Amino acid sequence: MSACYVTHLECSLTGRQYPAGEVHGLSAEGRPLLVRYDLDALAAGLERQDLAGRTDGFWRYREFLPVRQPENRISLGEVVTPLVPLSTPDGGRGELLVKDEGRLPTGSFKARGLALAVSMAKELGLPRLAGPPPGTTGGAAAAPRSPPGLRRLGMPTNGNAGAALAAYGSRAGMESVVFCPDDTPEVNLSEIELQGAVTWRVDGLIDDCGRIVRERSEEEGWFDVSTLKEPYRIEGKKTMGFELAEQLGWTLPDVILYPTGGGTGLIGMWKAFAELRAVGWLEGKLPRMVAVQADGCAPIVRAFEAGEEHAPRWEGAHTVAAGIRVPAAIGDFLILRAVRESGGFAVSVSDEAILDARREVARRDGLLLCPEGAATWAAWRAATADGRIGVDEKVVLFNCATGLKYPLPLVSRHYEAAAD
Ligand SMILES: *Cc1c(COP(=O)(O)O)cnc(C)c1O
């Protein structure tokens, strides 16, 4: 057993505590559970320099992660994703960096969250064919919210999460079942099916898919690994914050622009920064967190501007950036809280601006962004134009997936070899 510093889980709304080492979904109040660590003990047992020489991607931060037994770490060769500098076309003196998450297994940052969720599922003995999950005889607060007799991991997805679940699930010898909106990019549907998940198209949006998983889980024996409905995907996503800090010499940029769907990454990074602060590893100030959405699906932006704590469902959601087409997020209040605490803001951009940004960065800098990543560039440009971000600031954008997973413009120029 390697050192594990988890003390308990905590309801993100009420602070009520739940024991570690047991199967959990949401809290009794139906809110996300957050993993808490003994950070004093961690700080006493680990120094920043101890990480040097570790080569196993985000598992290099294992002391900050909940997996106890090394053999339960399900890995597909994770890498520390690079920070790629981009040119600043407005002649700014600042720095513009892209954290390119497309280099991870399954081609998106969903690998981080699902690696942790699947590893923890394995550690906790899920899914199992019969009998109660381990530890179900605990106290009232400990009563697991998932039923016995689990057979599969189940999930709604806009594509990338399903691919990561399928891959890490297969790697762990677990079956999974995945529900996707009908118009999910074809390559996602194919990769999910090919990597072993039972894959369903649904004539609805991701929250409709989520409802199917929620309503049928008990009867079908599925463990629901929807974003923030189990406690560990966010622990994987928070490693983006650790990597960023370490790559920047344990400092953070002035601003982070994050394409926000369910918001796991934004909430996760904010949690990571708090943990790094608590162990005394971080130098300088925290960044302003900017939640970027699409004009056609901007519930967080609307709630931010209205000063609301929660973000009601966005009706008729549509955008080319499938990964951020999330009409309602269960962690809405956590996203809004992190954005406000950080002094950041929420902003949306048009599909046209997203596609223009993708073209411009690909041509100018040779980096193919996914539409969601391109949205952060478009938002950065708009925010430097209106002064919300200074041209001399250090900014990090997130490119969450490889641009190759998305529909790309056709090439029509044709050369007649025979006529040459
Ligand atoms: C899932 C996803 C997002 C949104 O990430 P969250 O942390 O859930 O907000 C953005 N872009 C891509 C490509 C995604 O797959």
Side-chain angles (χ1 to χ4, degrees):
M1 186 181 298
S2 61
C4 181
Y5 295 98
V6 176
T7 52
H8 62 278
L9 285 73
E10 195 178 283
C11 174
S12 56
L13 187 71
T14 64
R16 178 167 160 185
Q17 298 193 359
Y18 294 76
E22 300 182 357
V23 177
H24 294 290
L26 293 169
S27 73
E29 291 76 20
R31 305 296 178 164
L33 289 173
L34 301 174
V35 182
R36 296 299 181 202
Y37 299 82
D38 183 348
L39 294 171
D40 290 337
L42 196 162
L46 188 74
E47 293 179 31
R48 299 189 303 203
Q49 304 83 275
D50 296 335
L51 303 181
R54 293 187 183 178
T55 56
D56 45 354
F58 56 71
W59 296 107
R60 66 196 282 103
Y61 309 108
R62 52 184 152 277
E63 285 84 355
F64 292 88
L65 295 173
V67 184
R68 279 168 204 271
Q69 306 287 352
E71 64 271 23
N72 290 331
R73 281 179 215 141
I74 307 300
S75 171
L76 283 164
E78 297 74 27
V79 294
V80 171
T81 61
L83 281 173
V84 183
L86 294 188
S87 52
T88 49
D90 302 327
R93 298 163 301 282
E95 234 183 305
L96 184 60
L97 303 166
V98 176
K99 186 134 173 82
D100 190 7
E101 296 282 294
R103 324 276 177 118
L104 285 162
T106 72
S108 88
F109 65 5
K110 292 295 194 302
R112 297 180 187 268
L114 273 308
L116 262 292
V118 170
S119 295
M120 286 306 292
K122 182 168 181 231
E123 187 150 284
L124 295 170
L126 287 173
R128 39 197 292 126
L129 286 169
T136 54
T137 49
R145 303 182 55 80
S146 47
L150 291 164
R151 286 186 295 277
R152 284 189 176 135
L153 304 176
M155 181 204 276
T157 180
N158 278 324
N160 290 323
L165 172 63
Y168 282 91
S170 291
R171 186 82 176 173
M174 293 178 198
E175 288 182 32
S176 46
V177 57
V178 168
F179 292 83
C180 312
D182 217 1
D183 57 354
T184 298
E186 283 305 318
V187 66
N188 287 131
L189 289 154
S190 306
E191 63 175 330
I192 296 168
E193 178 88 6
L194 206 56
Q195 286 167 158
V198 178
T199 313
W200 294 91
R201 293 174 186 265
V202 177
D203 55 347
L205 292 177
I206 187 157
D207 50 351
D208 300 306
C209 299
R211 181 171 37 77
I212 296 169
V213 174
R214 190 170 65 244
E215 289 175 359
R216 296 192 53 194
S217 280
E218 191 144 355
E219 176 190 334
E220 302 282 349
W222 299 335
F223 182 70
D224 190 345
V225 284
S226 301
T227 304
L228 292 170
K229 289 188 184 165
E230 62 78 58
Y232 305 110
R233 281 176 65 177
I234 181 174
E235 293 302 289
K237 277 279 196 80
K238 85 180 178 187
T239 62
M240 293 189 291
F242 293 141
E243 275 181 31
L244 194 55
E246 191 180 7
Q247 285 172 305
L248 297 176
W250 303 105
T251 67
L252 292 168
D254 296 306
V255 187
I256 292 177
L257 287 99
Y258 186 81
T260 305
T264 329
L266 193 151
I267 303 164
M269 280 194 279
W270 197 240
K271 182 173 190 280
F273 300 154
E275 291 173 358
L276 287 176
R277 265 262 162 101
V279 298
W281 288 13
L282 215 49
E283 284 150 32
K285 57 185 177 47
L286 297 181
R288 311 201 297 284
M289 306 294 286
V290 178
V292 177
Q293 299 200 302
D295 286 349
C297 183
I300 299 297
V301 180
R302 187 172 59 187
F304 176 80
E305 287 176 351
E308 303 287 346
E309 237 178 292
H310 289 272
R313 185 175 198 270
W314 185 277
E315 300 302 329
H318 64 90
T319 167
V320 292
I324 52 175
R325 194 178 60 171
V326 179
I330 187 161
D332 55 358
F333 65 110
L334 298 172
I335 303 170
L336 288 159
R337 199 184 284 171
V339 166
R340 287 183 177 128
E341 269 178 26
S342 75
F345 56 93
V347 64
S348 69
V349 292
S350 69
D351 276 8
E352 198 189 350
I354 289 173
L355 296 177
D356 284 350
R358 181 173 71 169
R359 193 178 312 111
E360 182 154 351
V361 175
R363 293 220 170 152
R364 192 199 299 261
D365 295 290
L367 187 67
L368 183 61
L369 301 174
C370 63
E372 299 81 359
T376 64
W377 191 91
W380 166 78
R381 185 147 78 173
T384 48
D386 68 20
R388 286 204 271 184
I389 296 176
V391 287
D392 53 353
E393 291 197 284
K394 184 169 186 166
V395 177
V396 170
L397 311 178
F398 272 83
N399 186 51
C400 327
T402 166
L404 294 172
K405 282 206 197 191
Y406 296 79
L408 294 169
L410 291 175
V411 174
S412 57
R413 198 177 297 117
H414 190 80
Y415 197 99
E416 294 286 343
D420 202 16

